[in-house]
Amino acid sequence: MAVLVVCRSDGLEDGGPGRRFALESGDEAFVIRHHGVVHAYRNHCPHRGLELDWQEGRFFDSGGEVLVCSVHGARYDPADGRCLGGPCRNRGLAALTCREQEGMVVVEEGGDER
């Protein structure tokens, strides 16, 4: 299991831009902060397999409450990645195990995804 240090904890604003990063597998992923908690997901919309962000790191809607696919408007709950509506048709985002440790955001690749 690979443990990746993604960014400093204070680098993620609640409902603000996320941080993209590459997994050791070569897949793209991102971390965001929502209601004070960090979350990590593969950057892959289940509708068409495209990346979610419309500009690098821009995953949230304008209110900072819902993750939105930039291409087709599928909407996802930032707390668990579940589909909230749109063409995702009840297929959610693939969550990755993450935590904050010593002021850093850490993601585990290859462990159990939450």
XYZ file of all heavy atoms in Angstrom:
869
model
N 0.845 -1.175 0.000
C 0.000 0.000 0.000
C 0.893 1.242 0.000
O 1.788 1.367 0.817
C -0.904 -0.014 1.226
C -1.658 1.256 1.429
S -2.816 1.247 2.807
C -1.820 0.746 4.172
N 0.625 2.163 -0.920
C 1.385 3.402 -1.009
C 0.697 4.479 -0.171
O -0.528 4.595 -0.184
C 1.470 3.856 -2.451
N 1.492 5.251 0.545
C 0.985 6.387 1.298
C 1.546 7.634 0.638
O 2.761 7.787 0.502
C 1.406 6.310 2.786
C 0.945 7.540 3.534
C 0.850 5.046 3.426
N 0.643 8.513 0.190
C 1.037 9.712 -0.532
C 0.733 10.948 0.290
O -0.386 11.126 0.757
C 0.272 9.803 -1.860
C 0.344 8.572 -2.765
C -0.652 8.707 -3.910
C 1.748 8.398 -3.296
N 1.716 11.823 0.458
C 1.491 13.117 1.088
C 1.091 14.057 -0.038
O 1.857 14.291 -0.972
C 2.752 13.616 1.814
C 2.521 14.999 2.389
C 3.155 12.634 2.905
N -0.144 14.586 0.036
C -0.703 15.362 -1.072
C -0.429 16.851 -0.924
O -0.008 17.507 -1.876
C -2.221 15.106 -1.199
C -2.827 15.954 -2.289
C -2.478 13.627 -1.462
N -0.704 17.410 0.246
C -0.531 18.842 0.444
C -0.576 19.159 1.933
O -0.879 18.288 2.746
C -1.608 19.641 -0.297
S -3.300 19.359 0.284
N -0.314 20.411 2.265
C -0.467 20.856 3.648
C -1.947 20.958 3.964
O -2.745 21.334 3.112
C 0.209 22.209 3.841
C 1.725 22.162 3.695
C 2.341 23.548 3.863
N 1.817 24.283 5.013
C 2.337 24.263 6.244
N 3.413 23.526 6.464
N 1.797 24.962 7.221
N -2.312 20.640 5.182
C -3.714 20.725 5.610
C -4.271 22.128 5.438
O -5.416 22.303 5.014
C -3.855 20.310 7.078
O -3.630 18.933 7.224
N -3.477 23.138 5.751
C -3.970 24.509 5.643
C -4.052 24.991 4.198
O -4.503 26.102 3.926
C -3.147 25.471 6.506
C -1.676 25.535 6.120
O -1.281 24.987 5.067
O -0.901 26.150 6.876
N -3.662 24.143 3.246
C -3.774 24.472 1.830
C -5.132 24.152 1.234
O -5.379 24.439 0.057
N -6.027 23.557 2.023
C -7.373 23.229 1.541
C -8.404 24.078 2.273
O -8.572 23.945 3.484
C -7.693 21.749 1.766
C -6.967 20.743 0.909
C -7.368 19.331 1.320
C -7.256 20.973 -0.562
N -9.071 24.924 1.528
C -10.126 25.775 2.079
C -11.455 25.041 2.006
O -11.755 24.389 1.005
C -10.190 27.054 1.248
C -11.274 28.008 1.625
C -11.354 29.164 0.652
O -10.348 29.494 0.006
O -12.458 29.733 0.544
N -12.247 25.149 3.045
C -13.551 24.493 3.085
C -14.416 24.958 1.912
O -14.659 26.145 1.745
C -14.237 24.826 4.413
C -15.264 23.804 4.797
O -14.874 22.661 5.086
O -16.455 24.134 4.810
N -14.836 24.017 1.059
C -15.658 24.327 -0.102
C -14.906 25.038 -1.212
O -15.504 25.484 -2.186
N -13.598 25.128 -1.091
C -12.774 25.833 -2.072
C -12.089 24.880 -3.029
O -12.440 23.699 -3.119
N -11.105 25.390 -3.743
C -10.391 24.543 -4.710
C -9.782 23.306 -4.062
O -9.308 23.359 -2.922
C -9.290 25.456 -5.253
C -9.805 26.838 -5.011
C -10.603 26.754 -3.729
N -9.815 22.215 -4.800
C -9.187 20.987 -4.358
C -7.775 20.904 -4.887
O -7.308 21.788 -5.599
N -7.106 19.842 -4.536
C -5.745 19.586 -5.024
C -5.744 18.306 -5.825
O -6.124 17.248 -5.325
C -4.764 19.446 -3.865
C -4.609 20.669 -3.047
C -3.875 21.753 -3.835
N -3.880 22.979 -3.082
C -2.805 23.532 -2.560
N -1.637 22.965 -2.712
N -2.910 24.658 -1.898
N -5.326 18.408 -7.059
C -5.167 17.228 -7.900
C -3.808 16.605 -7.619
O -2.856 17.298 -7.281
C -5.229 17.629 -9.372
C -6.589 18.089 -9.814
C -6.539 18.581 -11.242
N -5.999 17.552 -12.107
C -6.497 17.215 -13.282
N -7.548 17.845 -13.752
N -5.952 16.282 -14.011
N -3.740 15.286 -7.806
C -2.457 14.598 -7.665
C -2.539 13.288 -8.421
O -3.626 12.796 -8.724
C -2.096 14.378 -6.188
C -3.055 13.502 -5.437
C -2.778 12.157 -5.238
C -4.237 14.012 -4.924
C -3.670 11.342 -4.541
C -5.124 13.213 -4.219
C -4.841 11.871 -4.035
N -1.394 12.741 -8.734
C -1.324 11.465 -9.443
C -1.092 10.343 -8.447
O -0.261 10.464 -7.539
C -0.204 11.485 -10.469
N -1.839 9.276 -8.615
C -1.618 8.067 -7.835
C -0.450 7.305 -8.445
O -0.116 7.505 -9.618
C -2.880 7.203 -7.844
C -4.109 7.842 -7.195
C -5.358 7.042 -7.522
C -3.915 7.938 -5.687
N 0.165 6.426 -7.685
C 1.277 5.634 -8.220
C 0.840 4.762 -9.387
O 1.630 4.412 -10.244
C 1.930 4.804 -7.115
C 2.732 5.654 -6.165
C 3.559 4.838 -5.202
O 3.441 3.596 -5.163
O 4.341 5.463 -4.464
N -0.459 4.440 -9.446
C -0.999 3.645 -10.555
C -1.063 4.445 -11.858
O -1.301 3.886 -12.913
C -2.409 3.165 -10.210
O -3.291 4.281 -10.113
N -0.882 5.771 -11.746
C -0.990 6.642 -12.911
C -2.346 7.325 -13.009
O -2.513 8.265 -13.783
N -3.318 6.868 -12.224
C -4.633 7.506 -12.214
C -4.540 8.873 -11.547
O -3.691 9.105 -10.686
C -5.649 6.659 -11.443
C -6.001 5.363 -12.149
O -5.784 5.268 -13.373
O -6.490 4.441 -11.467
N -5.450 9.761 -11.940
C -5.544 11.077 -11.316
C -6.541 11.014 -10.164
O -7.521 10.267 -10.212
C -6.000 12.116 -12.330
C -4.974 12.399 -13.416
C -3.744 13.113 -12.888
O -3.877 14.020 -12.039
O -2.636 12.749 -13.320
N -6.291 11.806 -9.135
C -7.166 11.864 -7.972
C -7.181 13.299 -7.465
O -6.452 14.159 -7.974
C -6.669 10.906 -6.898
N -8.029 13.556 -6.459
C -8.070 14.890 -5.867
C -8.512 14.806 -4.410
O -9.152 13.844 -4.000
C -8.991 15.832 -6.651
C -10.449 15.466 -6.638
C -11.321 16.030 -5.709
C -10.968 14.578 -7.572
C -12.674 15.708 -5.711
C -12.317 14.252 -7.587
C -13.176 14.819 -6.651
N -8.134 15.825 -3.658
C -8.589 15.986 -2.282
C -9.318 17.315 -2.182
O -8.972 18.283 -2.863
C -7.448 15.918 -1.246
C -6.840 14.536 -1.194
C -6.394 16.965 -1.502
N -10.343 17.349 -1.321
C -11.101 18.569 -1.043
C -11.386 18.609 0.451
O -11.234 17.600 1.143
C -12.434 18.620 -1.848
C -13.256 17.310 -1.716
C -12.177 18.903 -3.311
C -14.343 17.385 -0.737
N -11.799 19.774 0.920
C -12.251 19.902 2.308
C -13.713 20.339 2.256
O -14.072 21.278 1.551
C -11.427 20.933 3.077
C -11.840 21.038 4.544
C -10.999 22.065 5.304
N -9.578 21.759 5.291
C -8.975 20.854 6.063
N -9.681 20.131 6.912
N -7.670 20.663 5.979
N -14.542 19.612 3.008
C -15.973 19.917 3.059
C -16.438 19.818 4.502
O -16.245 18.784 5.142
C -16.750 18.934 2.175
C -18.217 19.164 2.169
N -18.795 20.276 1.615
C -19.223 18.428 2.660
C -20.102 20.203 1.746
N -20.391 19.086 2.396
N -16.986 20.911 5.009
C -17.437 20.993 6.401
C -16.332 20.574 7.368
O -16.570 19.837 8.327
C -18.701 20.182 6.625
C -19.881 20.764 5.900
N -21.163 20.356 6.140
C -19.991 21.717 4.950
C -21.991 21.026 5.361
N -21.293 21.863 4.633
N -15.121 21.018 7.071
C -13.978 20.791 7.949
C -13.265 19.466 7.802
O -12.245 19.242 8.441
N -13.774 18.578 6.960
C -13.209 17.231 6.817
C -12.599 17.081 5.419
O -13.188 17.516 4.425
C -14.303 16.161 7.032
C -13.739 14.760 6.883
C -14.951 16.338 8.398
N -11.426 16.440 5.343
C -10.825 16.187 4.033
C -11.376 14.892 3.451
O -11.663 13.929 4.174
C -9.278 16.134 4.080
C -8.709 17.475 4.455
C -8.770 15.049 4.992
N -11.527 14.886 2.134
C -12.021 13.725 1.395
C -11.168 13.586 0.137
O -10.736 14.591 -0.430
C -13.486 13.917 0.982
C -14.395 14.165 2.139
N -14.906 13.144 2.911
C -14.872 15.319 2.666
C -15.662 13.667 3.859
N -15.660 14.979 3.729
N -10.971 12.345 -0.302
C -10.196 12.086 -1.512
C -10.985 11.169 -2.440
O -11.643 10.225 -1.984
C -8.856 11.438 -1.160
N -10.903 11.457 -3.738
C -11.601 10.673 -4.762
C -10.725 10.541 -5.995
O -9.896 11.402 -6.270
C -12.916 11.364 -5.171
C -13.877 11.520 -4.034
C -13.990 12.723 -3.352
C -14.657 10.442 -3.612
C -14.863 12.857 -2.279
C -15.527 10.575 -2.540
C -15.625 11.778 -1.888
O -16.479 11.901 -0.826
N -10.965 9.479 -6.729
C -10.355 9.382 -8.056
C -11.023 10.444 -8.921
O -12.220 10.659 -8.830
C -10.563 7.998 -8.650
C -9.784 6.931 -7.907
C -9.888 5.570 -8.584
N -9.239 4.584 -7.761
C -7.937 4.299 -7.793
N -7.158 4.923 -8.647
N -7.423 3.375 -7.004
N -10.258 11.110 -9.759
C -10.781 12.183 -10.606
C -11.340 11.564 -11.879
O -10.780 11.691 -12.971
C -9.695 13.210 -10.918
C -10.262 14.477 -11.496
O -11.466 14.628 -11.633
N -9.382 15.397 -11.839
N -12.478 10.890 -11.708
C -13.061 10.086 -12.779
C -14.569 10.081 -12.626
O -15.104 9.501 -11.679
C -12.500 8.671 -12.649
C -12.985 7.716 -13.653
N -14.067 6.902 -13.430
C -12.539 7.429 -14.891
C -14.266 6.144 -14.495
N -13.366 6.445 -15.381
N -15.281 10.759 -13.522
C -16.744 10.766 -13.477
C -17.252 9.424 -14.001
O -16.884 9.020 -15.113
C -17.290 11.905 -14.329
S -19.096 11.994 -14.359
N -18.080 8.723 -13.254
C -18.545 7.404 -13.704
C -19.448 7.457 -14.944
O -19.636 6.444 -15.591
C -19.302 6.841 -12.500
C -19.538 7.966 -11.593
C -18.551 9.035 -11.917
N -19.932 8.627 -15.299
C -20.804 8.748 -16.469
C -20.027 8.507 -17.755
O -20.415 7.679 -18.568
C -21.481 10.126 -16.489
C -22.256 10.393 -17.721
N -22.100 11.548 -18.452
C -23.193 9.673 -18.366
C -22.919 11.517 -19.495
N -23.589 10.394 -19.462
N -18.944 9.212 -17.959
C -18.156 9.082 -19.196
C -16.668 8.842 -18.957
O -15.902 8.792 -19.906
C -18.309 10.332 -20.054
C -19.674 10.554 -20.603
C -19.856 9.754 -21.849
N -21.162 10.079 -22.387
C -21.666 9.481 -23.414
N -21.008 8.536 -24.015
N -22.864 9.811 -23.841
N -16.260 8.761 -17.710
C -14.855 8.515 -17.421
C -13.975 9.743 -17.549
O -12.759 9.627 -17.591
N -14.569 10.923 -17.614
C -13.809 12.155 -17.748
C -13.448 12.714 -16.384
O -14.062 12.376 -15.379
C -14.644 13.185 -18.528
C -15.108 12.730 -19.906
C -16.114 13.722 -20.478
C -13.921 12.566 -20.834
N -12.467 13.622 -16.365
C -12.108 14.288 -15.122
C -13.212 15.268 -14.742
O -13.881 15.829 -15.605
C -10.771 15.001 -15.283
C -9.642 14.010 -15.496
C -8.296 14.671 -15.711
O -8.246 15.879 -16.020
O -7.293 13.971 -15.572
N -13.403 15.468 -13.449
C -14.499 16.309 -12.972
C -14.238 17.806 -13.071
O -15.148 18.570 -13.385
C -14.808 15.989 -11.505
C -15.865 14.938 -11.256
C -15.387 13.582 -11.610
C -16.319 15.018 -9.843
N -13.045 18.255 -12.768
C -12.817 19.694 -12.617
C -12.864 20.450 -13.943
O -12.303 20.047 -14.934
C -11.530 19.996 -11.862
C -10.312 19.208 -12.292
O -10.459 18.180 -12.967
O -9.203 19.620 -11.934
N -13.552 21.593 -13.886
C -13.715 22.445 -15.066
C -12.512 23.345 -15.282
O -12.221 23.755 -16.392
C -15.004 23.266 -14.982
C -15.129 24.111 -13.746
C -15.550 23.693 -12.514
C -14.855 25.484 -13.624
N -15.534 24.742 -11.630
C -15.123 25.861 -12.288
C -14.410 26.466 -14.517
C -14.953 27.163 -11.827
C -14.252 27.759 -14.045
C -14.524 28.089 -12.722
N -11.806 23.668 -14.229
C -10.493 24.287 -14.235
C -9.723 23.513 -13.180
O -10.323 22.979 -12.246
C -10.548 25.754 -13.838
C -11.169 26.651 -14.868
C -11.165 28.108 -14.414
O -10.962 28.408 -13.241
N -11.406 28.998 -15.336
N -8.428 23.476 -13.284
C -7.679 22.646 -12.343
C -8.037 22.995 -10.899
O -7.942 24.142 -10.475
C -6.174 22.783 -12.542
C -5.440 21.794 -11.672
C -4.013 21.551 -12.091
O -3.689 21.743 -13.270
O -3.246 21.151 -11.213
N -8.498 21.973 -10.170
C -8.846 22.124 -8.772
C -10.247 22.623 -8.500
O -10.657 22.711 -7.352
N -11.011 22.934 -9.530
C -12.379 23.451 -9.347
C -13.373 22.304 -9.461
O -13.787 21.929 -10.553
C -12.706 24.535 -10.377
C -11.780 25.705 -10.345
C -11.957 26.484 -9.071
N -11.046 27.613 -9.071
C -11.048 28.563 -8.188
N -11.918 28.529 -7.192
N -10.200 29.543 -8.241
N -13.767 21.771 -8.310
C -14.671 20.616 -8.255
C -16.056 20.980 -7.713
O -17.032 20.327 -8.029
C -14.079 19.508 -7.373
C -12.757 19.002 -7.871
C -11.564 19.481 -7.363
C -12.709 18.055 -8.885
C -10.346 19.012 -7.832
C -11.501 17.584 -9.364
C -10.320 18.070 -8.832
N -16.114 22.014 -6.885
C -17.369 22.393 -6.234
C -18.248 23.272 -7.119
O -17.755 23.988 -7.990
C -17.078 23.171 -4.942
C -16.685 22.316 -3.784
C -15.357 22.223 -3.394
C -17.632 21.611 -3.059
C -14.983 21.453 -2.307
C -17.274 20.834 -1.966
C -15.948 20.756 -1.596
N -19.554 23.251 -6.817
C -20.475 24.219 -7.417
C -20.151 25.600 -6.838
O -19.290 25.732 -5.968
C -21.932 23.818 -7.166
C -22.336 23.851 -5.695
O -21.474 24.063 -4.813
O -23.521 23.638 -5.431
N -20.845 26.613 -7.299
C -20.544 27.985 -6.872
C -20.766 28.199 -5.376
O -20.149 29.076 -4.782
C -21.366 28.991 -7.673
O -22.747 28.769 -7.467
N -21.612 27.406 -4.741
C -21.857 27.532 -3.312
C -20.902 26.738 -2.442
O -20.960 26.808 -1.221
N -20.037 25.939 -3.057
C -19.078 25.130 -2.310
C -19.698 23.981 -1.544
O -19.138 23.504 -0.572
N -20.858 23.491 -2.016
C -21.565 22.441 -1.288
C -21.696 21.123 -2.040
O -21.971 20.094 -1.431
C -22.972 22.925 -0.906
C -22.957 23.990 0.177
C -22.363 23.497 1.489
O -22.642 22.349 1.885
O -21.618 24.268 2.120
N -21.528 21.121 -3.350
C -21.733 19.915 -4.161
C -20.599 19.817 -5.182
O -20.188 20.815 -5.767
C -23.100 19.980 -4.897
C -23.286 18.799 -5.819
C -24.241 20.069 -3.907
N -20.088 18.602 -5.392
C -19.106 18.371 -6.447
C -19.859 18.208 -7.767
O -20.884 17.525 -7.816
C -18.287 17.109 -6.156
C -17.501 17.117 -4.843
C -16.842 15.764 -4.618
C -16.478 18.228 -4.836
N -19.347 18.837 -8.828
C -20.045 18.824 -10.114
C -19.078 18.429 -11.227
O -17.965 18.957 -11.310
C -20.638 20.215 -10.436
C -21.348 20.208 -11.770
C -21.580 20.672 -9.338
N -19.518 17.517 -12.098
C -18.733 17.168 -13.284
C -18.822 18.326 -14.270
O -19.923 18.767 -14.620
C -19.273 15.887 -13.917
S -18.425 15.461 -15.465
N -17.692 18.785 -14.717
C -17.642 19.943 -15.608
C -18.249 19.680 -16.979
O -18.696 20.596 -17.646
C -16.192 20.392 -15.787
O -15.450 19.388 -16.452
N -18.287 18.446 -17.403
C -18.727 18.141 -18.767
C -20.233 17.904 -18.854
O -20.904 18.464 -19.719
C -17.959 16.918 -19.319
C -18.415 16.584 -20.729
C -16.459 17.181 -19.300
N -20.794 17.117 -17.959
C -22.203 16.751 -18.075
C -23.062 17.167 -16.883
O -24.241 16.855 -16.837
C -22.343 15.240 -18.296
C -21.727 14.786 -19.570
N -20.516 14.149 -19.609
C -22.138 14.912 -20.854
C -20.211 13.891 -20.868
N -21.169 14.342 -21.643
N -22.477 17.821 -15.888
C -23.248 18.344 -14.775
C -23.684 17.332 -13.728
O -24.517 17.652 -12.889
N -23.143 16.124 -13.757
C -23.464 15.160 -12.702
C -23.049 15.770 -11.362
O -22.029 16.447 -11.260
C -22.734 13.844 -12.942
N -23.848 15.531 -10.329
C -23.627 16.134 -9.021
C -23.364 15.041 -7.980
O -24.049 14.025 -7.973
C -24.842 16.968 -8.638
C -25.102 18.099 -9.625
C -26.473 18.732 -9.485
N -26.809 19.163 -8.143
C -26.475 20.324 -7.588
N -25.771 21.183 -8.286
N -26.847 20.622 -6.358
N -22.373 15.294 -7.126
C -21.947 14.304 -6.142
C -21.848 14.931 -4.761
O -21.461 16.094 -4.610
C -20.577 13.738 -6.525
C -20.562 13.101 -7.887
C -20.184 13.829 -9.008
C -20.952 11.780 -8.057
C -20.186 13.246 -10.271
C -20.959 11.190 -9.311
C -20.573 11.938 -10.408
O -20.586 11.365 -11.652
N -22.160 14.131 -3.742
C -22.032 14.562 -2.361
C -20.547 14.576 -1.998
O -19.869 13.552 -2.120
C -22.783 13.577 -1.456
C -22.845 14.017 -0.015
O -21.878 14.642 0.478
O -23.863 13.728 0.634
N -20.013 15.719 -1.559
C -18.591 15.780 -1.224
C -18.201 14.914 -0.029
O -17.047 14.529 0.103
C -18.333 17.251 -0.910
C -19.598 17.965 -1.096
C -20.672 16.998 -1.433
N -19.152 14.572 0.827
C -18.845 13.789 2.027
C -18.643 12.307 1.753
O -17.889 11.640 2.453
C -19.950 13.969 3.070
N -19.290 11.778 0.711
C -19.157 10.343 0.452
C -19.087 9.978 -1.033
O -18.962 8.808 -1.379
C -20.278 9.556 1.129
C -21.667 9.972 0.674
O -21.800 10.666 -0.355
O -22.639 9.597 1.363
N -19.189 10.956 -1.920
C -19.058 10.707 -3.353
C -20.298 10.151 -4.031
O -20.288 9.892 -5.232
N -21.410 9.996 -3.286
C -22.593 9.399 -3.915
C -23.219 10.357 -4.924
O -23.143 11.569 -4.784
C -23.606 8.950 -2.874
C -24.294 10.041 -2.138
C -25.203 9.488 -1.029
N -25.452 10.516 -0.067
C -26.449 11.399 -0.159
N -27.297 11.323 -1.153
N -26.590 12.334 0.751
N -23.856 9.800 -5.925
C -24.525 10.569 -6.966
C -25.740 11.272 -6.379
O -26.571 10.644 -5.721
C -24.948 9.627 -8.092
S -25.950 10.414 -9.370
N -25.846 12.566 -6.622
C -26.997 13.340 -6.162
C -27.956 13.673 -7.296
O -29.060 14.132 -7.059
C -26.532 14.645 -5.501
C -25.701 14.488 -4.237
C -25.218 15.847 -3.760
C -26.499 13.780 -3.155
N -27.516 13.456 -8.530
C -28.382 13.738 -9.667
C -27.584 13.941 -10.935
O -26.376 14.128 -10.915
N -28.291 13.869 -12.046
C -27.647 14.025 -13.344
C -27.336 12.688 -13.971
O -27.831 11.639 -13.525
N -26.495 12.678 -14.979
C -26.247 11.453 -15.743
C -25.423 10.391 -15.025
O -25.156 9.340 -15.589
C -25.527 11.967 -16.989
C -24.887 13.234 -16.564
C -25.816 13.833 -15.550
N -25.042 10.613 -13.771
C -24.281 9.588 -13.039
C -25.150 8.389 -12.679
O -24.640 7.314 -12.404
C -23.628 10.166 -11.791
S -24.678 11.162 -10.733
N -26.472 8.563 -12.684
C -27.431 7.470 -12.482
C -27.083 6.550 -11.322
O -26.917 5.336 -11.483
C -27.599 6.677 -13.758
C -28.126 7.524 -14.886
C -28.318 6.739 -16.127
N -28.608 7.676 -17.208
C -29.165 7.341 -18.327
N -29.488 6.094 -18.549
N -29.384 8.237 -19.248
N -26.940 7.146 -10.163
C -26.663 6.425 -8.914
C -25.281 5.785 -8.834
O -25.037 4.953 -7.978
C -27.742 5.384 -8.615
C -29.077 6.044 -8.349
O -29.136 7.093 -7.719
N -30.141 5.447 -8.846
N -24.380 6.136 -9.742
C -22.994 5.665 -9.657
C -22.161 6.778 -9.040
O -22.077 7.868 -9.594
C -22.462 5.286 -11.031
C -23.144 4.048 -11.585
C -22.701 3.773 -12.980
N -23.222 4.881 -13.811
C -22.943 5.060 -15.080
N -22.152 4.233 -15.700
N -23.456 6.075 -15.743
N -21.554 6.497 -7.919
C -20.794 7.508 -7.201
C -19.328 7.534 -7.571
O -18.833 6.719 -8.349
N -18.637 8.494 -6.975
C -17.196 8.629 -7.164
C -16.467 7.562 -6.357
O -16.947 7.127 -5.311
C -16.738 10.008 -6.693
C -17.361 11.205 -7.402
C -16.882 12.498 -6.740
C -17.023 11.187 -8.882
N -15.307 7.169 -6.823
C -14.472 6.195 -6.110
C -13.666 6.925 -5.041
O -12.778 7.719 -5.352
C -13.545 5.476 -7.079
N -14.015 6.671 -3.784
C -13.354 7.330 -2.661
C -12.040 6.640 -2.319
O -11.897 5.426 -2.480
C -14.268 7.322 -1.443
N -11.101 7.426 -1.841
C -9.815 6.924 -1.375
C -9.696 7.214 0.115
O -10.219 8.211 0.605
C -8.669 7.610 -2.121
C -8.663 7.435 -3.634
C -7.692 8.411 -4.273
C -8.297 6.004 -3.985
N -9.001 6.375 0.819
C -8.771 6.588 2.239
C -7.813 7.756 2.418
O -6.739 7.774 1.810
C -8.191 5.318 2.883
O -9.102 4.241 2.694
C -7.944 5.511 4.370
N -8.219 8.736 3.224
C -7.339 9.872 3.471
C -7.469 10.320 4.921
O -8.423 9.964 5.610
C -7.637 11.022 2.512
S -9.184 11.858 2.777
N -6.496 11.098 5.360
C -6.491 11.614 6.724
C -5.565 12.828 6.779
O -4.780 13.071 5.864
C -6.029 10.554 7.701
C -4.588 10.123 7.521
C -4.186 9.018 8.476
N -2.802 8.630 8.308
C -2.339 7.805 7.381
N -3.178 7.253 6.499
N -1.057 7.497 7.306
N -5.680 13.551 7.872
C -4.741 14.621 8.157
C -3.797 14.125 9.232
O -4.226 13.534 10.223
C -5.481 15.874 8.604
C -6.318 16.455 7.478
C -6.985 17.744 7.848
O -6.324 18.801 7.775
O -8.177 17.679 8.212
N -2.511 14.354 8.993
C -1.492 13.850 9.911
C -0.354 14.854 9.962
O 0.239 15.173 8.922
C -0.995 12.495 9.406
C 0.071 11.859 10.232
C 0.464 10.503 9.651
O -0.349 9.780 9.085
N 1.725 10.155 9.818
N -0.086 15.359 11.146
C 1.016 16.306 11.363
C 0.959 17.470 10.382
O 1.970 17.867 9.799
C 2.351 15.572 11.286
C 2.505 14.513 12.352
C 3.805 13.747 12.261
O 4.696 14.132 11.487
O 3.920 12.741 12.987
N -0.234 18.014 10.177
C -0.404 19.189 9.329
C -0.400 18.917 7.835
O -0.360 19.851 7.040
N -0.467 17.642 7.460
C -0.449 17.272 6.045
C -1.672 16.416 5.714
O -2.211 15.736 6.587
C 0.819 16.481 5.708
C 2.118 17.189 6.067
S 2.347 18.771 5.229
C 2.788 18.250 3.595
N -2.088 16.456 4.442
C -3.155 15.583 3.952
C -2.480 14.367 3.331
O -1.624 14.502 2.446
C -4.049 16.297 2.922
C -5.080 15.332 2.353
C -4.731 17.500 3.554
N -2.854 13.186 3.815
C -2.232 11.928 3.404
C -3.297 11.028 2.802
O -4.404 10.896 3.341
C -1.584 11.237 4.628
C -0.996 9.894 4.251
C -0.546 12.142 5.259
N -2.974 10.394 1.666
C -3.893 9.481 0.975
C -3.231 8.126 0.865
O -2.044 8.026 0.574
C -4.266 10.013 -0.421
C -5.102 9.013 -1.198
C -4.989 11.339 -0.313
N -4.013 7.078 1.118
C -3.521 5.708 0.981
C -4.012 5.145 -0.335
O -5.213 5.122 -0.600
C -4.026 4.854 2.139
C -3.514 5.289 3.480
C -4.077 4.475 4.617
O -4.623 3.375 4.360
O -3.991 4.936 5.758
N -3.091 4.679 -1.144
C -3.445 4.029 -2.398
C -3.232 2.537 -2.244
O -2.205 2.105 -1.761
C -2.607 4.553 -3.557
C -2.969 3.896 -4.875
C -2.118 4.371 -6.038
O -1.109 5.058 -5.832
O -2.482 4.027 -7.165
N -4.220 1.771 -2.651
C -4.077 0.327 -2.605
C -4.693 -0.296 -1.376
O -4.853 -1.499 -1.308
N -5.045 0.520 -0.404
C -5.747 0.011 0.768
C -7.236 -0.028 0.461
O -7.666 0.205 -0.653
N -8.016 -0.322 1.446
C -9.461 -0.319 1.260
C -9.938 1.087 0.980
O -9.607 2.007 1.702
C -10.166 -0.837 2.509
C -9.883 -2.298 2.748
O -9.723 -3.044 1.772
O -9.822 -2.685 3.917
N -10.678 1.240 -0.101
C -11.284 2.526 -0.368
C -12.511 2.625 0.492
O -13.192 1.661 0.758
C -11.608 2.665 -1.848
C -10.357 2.706 -2.695
C -10.609 2.970 -4.153
O -11.774 3.094 -4.555
O -9.631 3.049 -4.891
N -12.794 3.806 0.976
C -13.946 3.985 1.864
C -15.191 4.235 1.060
O -15.227 4.475 -0.067
C -13.702 5.114 2.859
C -13.383 6.442 2.200
C -13.329 7.527 3.255
N -12.938 8.733 2.597
C -13.793 9.564 1.982
N -15.051 9.328 1.963
N -13.371 10.651 1.398
